[in-house]
Amino acid sequence: MELSEDTLEKLQKLAEKYSSTGQDLNSYLEGLLHTEYLTYWDYIHLDTLMTLQTPKTAFPDEQIFIIYHQITELYFRLILSEMEQICLPGKEAGLDEFKMRLRRVSAYFKNLSGSFDVMVNGMDPKQFLKFRMALLPASGFQSAQYRMIELISTGLPLLVHAETRNKFSDSEELEKLYANLYWKFGNIELKSGRKTLTLTMFEDKYDEGLLAMARKYRMDNFREKWLRLSTAEQQDPELVELMKQLDLQANIFWPLSHYKSAVRYLHKDMEDIKATGGTNWQKYLPPRFQRVIFFPEIWTDAEKEEWGKGWVMELFNQQVESYWK
Ligand code: HEM
């Protein structure tokens, strides 16, 4: 069989590629002769993926709980990957890229809040309350990627606990801001008012890495990058709408969808509350208490005042209805 000109040209280019790093094309071609064809299952590591669900109990619905958490973490990874591409230190992305990446991020969040019904109605409550006890003190609260999405989206002062937020300025020491983040007050024992083991274990494992990330993105988080666009670009109506979508999805719609599951399974009596280890979740999870807003500049004072209430709840209900239509 004769080699076409196109093939010869590719071989020439390959020879140049390999010789530029002192490699020999012939050795690589010989390697190709022995290489197996790539398969779907090897490419996505399917067999490994299917070994990652290891329930702690014999209740069949625990599998749903594990898999849905894993799906969520993979979506979080997708969201972070888009945000990282905008927020690379040293890079100033253009308006089109801002919009394109925000569209993707919003779509991911929309899928997450829209599919949360898998948790709300997709498990047998009796099984849930039993297998959940076998998982203490673990909690989705310990999701580091959830915190990373916050840190890459906005500045630390905006993530400080709502009650003390106005006491800190943008130039405050990073460690001080970090120690006062809203979620540091989020997993507290109802009885003693102390941090739970869930929280302290999370801090031991992730504080150092999260602080490093906060330092890295202090001047390069999404909000800072947006503030460095020209005034005309900053106010581009489509961009502002997409940023509103992200603020709503990340800080209202997902938290509300998630909160519904906590209400469904944990709300009834003290017996049910035990499944969290007895935490302050009822005063913590509803977005109207935390009032986290990544981009306060794009909302009116009235909208911020009503964050998590009134108009927001209407939008949330519309979204839920349209998703399940
Ligand atoms: C039946 C399903 C679920 C219930 C009942 C539930 C319950 C709770 C509760 C009570 C908290 C407050 C902290 C605590 O007391 O432990 C919490 C926090 C949290 N959970 Fe879940 N959860 C569920 C599913 C999920 C899923 C699928 C994820 C996905 C990763 C998740 C991620 C989180 C996150 C990120 C937090 C912290 C939220 C924040 O700081 O605002 N949860 N969850």
Side-chain angles (χ1 to χ4, degrees):
M1 180 192 146
E2 254 194 42
L3 296 182
S4 71
E5 232 172 72
D6 187 36
T7 311
L8 288 169
E9 206 176 295
K10 286 209 175 83
L11 281 172
Q12 184 59 39
K13 282 195 178 142
L14 278 172
E16 283 160 21
K17 172 184 163 174
Y18 286 109
S19 73
S20 73
T21 51
Q23 309 290 297
D24 172 34
L25 172 62
N26 263 331
S27 311
Y28 281 86
L29 287 178
E30 190 176 338
L32 259 186
L33 279 177
H34 309 300
T35 308
E36 294 282 349
Y37 288 114
L38 184 64
T39 60
Y40 168 77
W41 52 90
D42 281 339
Y43 182 57
I44 65 155
H45 296 283
L46 190 60
D47 293 344
T48 310
L49 191 60
M50 293 304 127
T51 63
L52 301 179
Q53 295 74 39
T54 51
K56 297 281 173 250
T57 69
F59 295 104
D61 283 8
E62 190 190 340
Q63 182 90 328
I64 305 170
F65 194 63
I66 295 174
I67 293 178
Y68 191 75
H69 276 83
Q70 292 178 336
I71 289 170
T72 305
E73 289 292 344
L74 288 175
Y75 267 107
F76 285 169
R77 185 74 206 92
L78 287 171
I79 291 166
L80 275 169
S81 151
E82 294 303 319
M83 297 298 271
E84 280 161 5
Q85 289 178 73
I86 288 282
C87 298
L88 267 181
K91 167 178 166 180
E92 299 304 331
L95 183 61
D96 287 345
E97 186 175 353
F98 265 83
K99 291 197 231 175
M100 178 267 285
R101 303 218 177 275
L102 274 182
R103 257 182 236 115
R104 293 184 187 177
V105 168
S106 277
Y108 297 143
F109 262 120
K110 217 170 169 183
N111 284 354
L112 281 180
S113 30
S115 62
F116 218 91
D117 205 50
V118 173
M119 293 285 94
V120 181
N121 293 310
M123 293 181 295
D124 171 23
K126 283 202 196 83
Q127 285 189 36
F128 174 84
L129 287 173
K130 292 204 178 95
F131 72 69
R132 188 66 188 83
M133 297 306 287
L135 314 181
L136 293 172
S139 164
F141 181 88
Q142 295 173 320
S143 165
Q145 290 203 106
Y146 189 78
R147 305 296 163 213
M148 289 162 77
I149 291 172
E150 296 177 330
L151 294 179
I152 204 166
S153 298
T154 195
L156 283 193
L158 293 167
L159 299 171
V160 162
H161 192 277
E163 272 174 28
T164 51
R165 202 168 292 160
N166 58 11
K167 295 201 180 122
F168 294 92
S169 74
D170 280 358
S171 55
E172 187 66 74
E173 208 182 302
L174 196 91
E175 285 73 12
K176 206 163 172 193
L177 289 168
Y178 184 80
N180 283 283
L181 292 183
Y182 79 94
W183 55 264
K184 291 271 174 186
F185 306 88
N187 215 290
I188 301 297
E189 279 171 13
L190 272 180
K191 265 198 204 138
S192 65
R194 286 197 313 242
K195 287 185 179 189
T196 58
L197 183 60
T198 309
L199 176 52
T200 55
M201 284 176 84
F202 178 74
E203 290 178 327
D204 287 348
K205 181 162 167 63
Y206 288 114
D207 265 356
E208 204 183 317
L210 290 174
L211 251 171
M213 183 174 177
R215 203 166 291 121
K216 176 175 174 185
Y217 289 110
R218 183 162 202 176
M219 294 317 294
D220 283 298
N221 58 65
F222 189 95
R223 176 171 164 268
E224 289 293 336
K225 296 272 190 194
W226 171 71
L227 287 170
R228 291 206 288 273
L229 290 175
S230 69
T231 314
E233 286 177 323
Q234 263 179 43
Q235 291 168 1
D236 178 89
E238 199 190 352
L239 177 64
V240 172
E241 188 47 45
L242 286 162
M243 288 171 68
K244 285 189 173 176
Q245 272 306 311
L246 171 56
D247 237 343
L248 285 172
Q249 292 291 346
N251 296 316
I252 302 278
F253 296 163
W254 189 86
L256 277 177
S257 305
H258 170 262
Y259 176 61
K260 269 171 61 179
S261 68
V263 172
R264 162 113 162 95
Y265 295 105
L266 309 173
H267 201 50
K268 292 172 197 129
D269 52 34
M270 284 314 284
E271 190 56 31
D272 296 350
I273 287 170
K274 272 192 209 153
T276 69
T279 66
N280 61 336
W281 66 271
Q282 301 189 51
K283 284 269 172 271
Y284 173 71
L285 287 181
R288 69 178 186 280
F289 293 127
Q290 302 311 330
R291 311 171 67 80
V292 175
I293 305 179
F294 290 159
F295 316 120
E297 296 83 359
I298 59 176
W299 299 100
T300 64
D301 286 344
E303 284 167 337
K304 283 185 276 195
E305 196 51 42
E306 287 290 296
W307 198 247
K309 307 181 218 166
W311 65 277
V312 184
M313 295 306 290
E314 260 172 49
L315 280 184
F316 173 68
N317 291 333
Q318 278 166 22
Q319 165 163 307
V320 173
E321 272 167 33
S322 69
Y323 198 89
W324 291 102
K325 248 205 287 222

